[in-house]
Amino acid sequence: MSLNTSAAPQRAQLKKTLTLLPVVMMGLAYMQPMTLFDTFGIVSGLTDGHVATAYAFALIAILFTAVSYGKLVRRFPSAGSAYTYAQKAISPHVGFMVGWSSLLDYLFMPMINILLAKNYFESLVPGIPSWIFVVLLVGFMTLSNLKGIKTVANFNSVIVVLQVIVMVGITGMVIYGVASGVGSGTLVSSRPFWSENAHVVPMITGATILCFSFLGFDGISSLSEETKDAERTIPRAIFLTALIGGVIFIAASYFLQLYFPDITRFQDPDSSQPEIMLFVAGKALQVGILIFSVVTVLASGMAAHAGVSRLMYVMGRDGVFPERFFGYIHPKWRTPSLNVLLVGAIALMAINFDLVTATALINFGALVAFTFVNLSVIAQFWIREKRNRTLKNHVQYLLLPLLGAITVGALWVNLEESSMVLGLIWAAIGIIYLAFVTRSFRNPVPQFSEEV
């Protein structure tokens, strides 16, 4: 007698609509290439005028980790990203803690983008209460994510193209200025990369800050369940996003460093974008570019919003968060709508939240994810699957991820104290919550079964 399962209720699932180009555009929008101008003053002062080298150090660490993400996406094409990889490759307990820490990275990114947009808005129209602007931006960001990932991807594709055009225009003005005698007065120089005043440790510290600029490349791994042929598309998209973003950052910072050999021209190096635009483009264009910057950070916030809502969905589907809320998929829109609304509510904290504190939390979460993605490759392929019998195996599944972990480790050593303290406090809360979920670790960590 056969069992009839045709009437069994089916769980609503995420809808596969994305291809390679939209995914890369989502990653680049998440990265927001124009963030270069926001961090330039800080890192230039820290590295004594070697921002390009700091970006090169960050890119090396990121590319090793991008390769590791690619391997794991093929093995585990899940929206859970680093959380799922560490859970399956190392242990469910480690996976939970990686996911919990990654929430810092994802959860505060939409709010940080709204905070940046609020700062731009306040410089443009100081007479209007900024909370009105925050509510409108968060409302648009949340509604777009409720309707579906394709809407977000299409919007972000347009914004990325416009960002590149604006950055090319600004870089062209910088090149013209340098050729006319501004700054170093020469377009060919090793000074932005190395000089007699260069020191490696400050550059690595600068690279730690600049890792914040690359955060989109890992976020797109959370789109695996909404991407066609994800096992091929997502790994390529991850590597291309990191590489394209890195090339843009290094090239633009090279010419910008020639224009501004040091930070003496900046009144406020910690918020350098408005002054860069004023010096390079003039007052009229400065206003236009700041208005466009509001749109770019909105696009980045929308991509981050999509990523964190999917991470919480997977953790809810697993049962480590209450499933009825976090694991819910809207039957019509096929999006984790309750998570989208929750992230939107948290983004409203931008009305009064501190940008420095939010950024510190993000850096900790990102480095946790990067570290354990590299370690997960070793644990899954080299140890569990015993792909350790040939030289090629050793290179692919031990040497490359080990180099990735070591380069990320160099960023850990130079992590700001506030990031470490706040991150460890968040981790301690996660351990307490995990103890509650597992009844003082007597029960296993809940996991989603694909057979259900």
Side-chain angles (χ1 to χ4, degrees), residues 375-415:
L375 296 179
S376 294
V377 170
I378 299 173
Q380 177 64 33
F381 298 104
W382 198 73
I383 297 175
R384 283 178 180 264
E385 299 183 11
K386 299 188 183 305
R387 300 192 191 185
N388 52 19
R389 294 181 173 84
T390 66
L391 178 60
K392 183 179 179 181
N393 286 162
H394 290 310
V395 170
Q396 284 190 320
Y397 305 119
L398 179 63
L399 180 60
L400 290 180
L402 192 59
L403 287 172
I406 291 170
T407 52
V408 173
L411 303 180
W412 269 114
V413 171
N414 293 277
L415 189 65

Side-chain angles (χ1 to χ4, degrees), residues 338-354:
L338 298 181
N339 296 339
V340 170
L341 292 171
L342 176 60
V343 176
I346 292 172
L348 286 174
M349 293 167 58
I351 294 173
N352 291 310
F353 207 81
D354 175 21

Side-chain angles (χ1 to χ4, degrees), residues 310-321:
R310 271 88 184 149
L311 173 60
M312 292 193 298
Y313 160 69
V314 174
M315 296 182 79
R317 185 178 64 184
D318 279 359
V320 293
F321 288 163

Side-chain angles (χ1 to χ4, degrees), residues 16 106 128 133 148 156 171 175 204 229 232 273 296 326 341 367 421 428 434 440:
K16 290 184 178 291
Y106 291 113
I128 300 178
F133 186 64
N156 283 345
T171 304
I175 292 172
I204 295 177
D229 194 15
R232 293 183 58 199
Q273 175 161 205
T296 64
F326 292 96
L341 292 171
L367 291 184
V421 171
L434 183 59
S440 299

